[in-house]
């Protein structure tokens, strides 16, 4: 290509990019799995911003000044709701009227389960702001692919209304995403069917939607703060619990060191695995959700399946 053609091509590209950037409204999403679904709906029109990046947890996140600036500039904010993302409740209330807000745990069409308390389910002790009460909602709602479909519908409809110039694109992306989520659901149903009734324990109660949809048998949580490893007495309690329920597997999360997980299960006969229900270990974007669901199925198969 001659230099002149390159200049023309670059100028055209700049115009196209400027148009796309100008056209799509500023959208901000709380956590990676929800961001992935919104990014898939917006593909080709724009990219949503993400608040809790990397391996951050919504249970312990503290809003930064740069987040507050992005919230102030957003036209649409998508979040799960105050039970999961307590850090966002006040900043969003302060925004009232400036942005449209989709609070998913109060959105018609999305199935919301109550948070589990009592018995072998422990509250999230690592979050002093989160006081789990009976009747509180479980905000990890993206782990049921039917909810992910409902999220695609709600977000596409709202975006199409906010940005009519890109409505056809949002609707086409929504249809493609719903197809893909149907395939993900069928894949999980097939792979997880042999794992029914095999008891396991999780490090935090974040997988209820997955368990319900695929009839998995999680029997309790042993919330452990990654910043403050448990002492000998607490480890003894946890071990007694794992043995009492005859857990076949204990699932930690990516932020825990294998040493700590090994200490917790030593002598119990349980295997160990890692569940990443936030996509903490994955790069953000439209592919995160499919990769995360595949990773969850893989981790459950690897740890629970008979050998
Ligand atoms: Zn959680």
């Amino acid at each position: 290509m001659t230099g002149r053609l390159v200049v023309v091509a670059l100028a055209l590209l700049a115009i196209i990019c400027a148009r796309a950037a100008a056209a799509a409204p500023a959208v901000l999403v709380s956590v990676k799995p929800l961001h992935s679904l919104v990014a898939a709906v917006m593909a080709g029109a724009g990219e949503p911003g993400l608040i809790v990046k990397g391996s951050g947890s919504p249970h312990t996140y503290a809003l930064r000044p740069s987040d507050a600036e992005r919230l102030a500039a957003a036209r649409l904010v998508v979040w799960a709701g105050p039970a999961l993302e307590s850090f966002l409740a006040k900043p969003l209330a302060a925004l009232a009227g400036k942005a449209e807000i989709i609070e998913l745990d109060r959105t018609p069409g999305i199935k919301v389960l109550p948070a589990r308390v009592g018995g072998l389910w422990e509250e999230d002790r690592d979050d002093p702001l989160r006081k789990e009460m009976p009747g509180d909602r479980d905000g990890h709602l993206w782990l049921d692919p039917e909810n992910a479909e409902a999220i695609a519908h709600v977000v596409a409809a709202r975006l199409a209304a906010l940005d009519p110039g890109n409505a056809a694109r949002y609707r086409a992306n929504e249809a493609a995403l719903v197809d893909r989520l149907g395939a993900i659901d069928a894949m999980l149903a097939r792979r997880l069917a042999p794992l029914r009734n095999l008891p396991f324990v999780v490090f935090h109660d974040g997988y209820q939607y997955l368990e319900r949809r695929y009839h998995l048998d999680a029997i309790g949580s042993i919330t452990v703060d990654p910043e403050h490893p448990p002492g000998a007495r607490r480890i003894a309690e946890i071990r007694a619990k794992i043995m009492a329920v005859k857990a076949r597997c204990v699932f930690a999360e990516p932020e825990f060191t294998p040493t700590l997980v090994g200490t917790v299960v030593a002598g119990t006969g349980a295997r160990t695995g890692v569940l990443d229900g936030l996509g903490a270990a994955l790069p953000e974007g439209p592919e995160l959700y499919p990769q995360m669901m595949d990773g969850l199925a893989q981790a459950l198969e690897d740890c629970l399946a008979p050998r």
Side-chain angles (χ1 to χ4, degrees):
M1 218 189 298
T2 69
R4 198 165 165 185
L5 269 177
V6 171
V7 170
V8 171
L10 285 176
L12 279 173
L13 190 66
I15 290 166
I16 291 164
C17 292
R19 277 202 177 159
V27 178
L28 200 52
V29 189
S30 55
V31 292
K32 286 168 96 177
L34 299 176
H35 173 268
S36 177
L37 298 169
V38 177
V41 172
M42 293 184 72
E47 283 177 17
L50 170 64
I51 299 176
V52 183
K53 288 173 173 283
S55 58
S57 162
H59 297 303
T60 52
Y61 192 76
L63 204 75
R64 292 168 193 163
S66 59
D67 298 325
E69 281 169 26
R70 289 196 297 160
L71 277 172
R75 288 200 54 206
L76 176 64
V77 180
V78 182
W79 70 315
L84 183 82
E85 297 141 347
S86 55
F87 73 93
L88 264 179
K90 277 188 186 167
L92 285 180
L95 269 186
K98 288 185 191 153
E100 292 197 30
I101 295 168
I102 301 179
E103 185 176 320
L104 293 168
D105 75 2
R106 286 174 197 279
T107 297
I110 294 175
K111 220 179 343 178
V112 178
L113 299 170
R116 292 183 282 208
V117 285
L120 296 172
W121 296 101
E122 294 181 17
E123 60 184 321
D124 273 340
R125 296 180 183 199
D126 52 341
D127 183 1
L129 296 173
R130 188 176 182 215
K131 297 197 173 51
E132 222 158 19
M133 308 296 258
D136 202 355
R137 292 146 201 266
D138 181 339
H140 307 84
L141 42 80
W142 59 84
L143 289 177
D144 181 335
E146 277 199 338
N147 273 349
E149 271 188 38
I151 293 167
H153 294 315
V154 167
V155 170
R158 194 72 71 93
L159 279 169
L162 264 178
D163 179 16
N166 279 313
R169 194 186 289 266
Y170 298 135
R171 291 303 192 181
N173 287 341
E174 171 196 2
L177 178 57
V178 165
D179 277 356
R180 193 154 184 208
L181 290 168
I184 289 169
D185 184 38
M187 175 273 289
L188 284 164
R190 178 177 51 76
R191 289 170 69 180
L192 300 182
L195 308 181
R196 290 183 183 195
N197 307 317
L198 300 176
F200 62 93
V201 168
V202 292
F203 261 41
H204 112 279
D205 188 11
Y207 309 91
Q208 188 181 188
Y209 290 88
L210 193 77
E211 296 158 26
R212 289 288 172 93
R213 176 115 191 112
Y214 304 108
H215 311 283
L216 299 171
D217 192 19
I219 47 179
S221 61
I222 47 171
T223 301
V224 175
D225 180 351
E227 309 278 311
H228 304 98
R233 187 171 160 183
R234 174 94 180 110
I235 287 179
E237 282 172 15
I238 294 170
R239 261 199 222 133
K241 183 164 165 178
I242 293 168
M243 287 190 278
V245 298
K246 298 191 171 62
R248 193 176 180 110
C249 191
V250 174
F251 287 102
E253 284 155 35
E255 64 266 37
F256 294 97
T257 63
T259 321
L260 172 62
V261 183
T263 307
V264 167
V265 301
T268 66
R271 296 172 187 157
T272 62
V274 174
L275 288 180
D276 180 7
L278 260 177
L282 298 169
E284 66 188 63
E287 291 304 312
L288 178 140
Y289 188 88
Q291 286 174 11
M292 179 189 73
M293 297 304 273
D294 179 69
L296 288 168
Q298 190 67 49
L300 288 159
E301 283 174 331
D302 287 349
C303 200
L304 284 173
R307 283 174 203 174

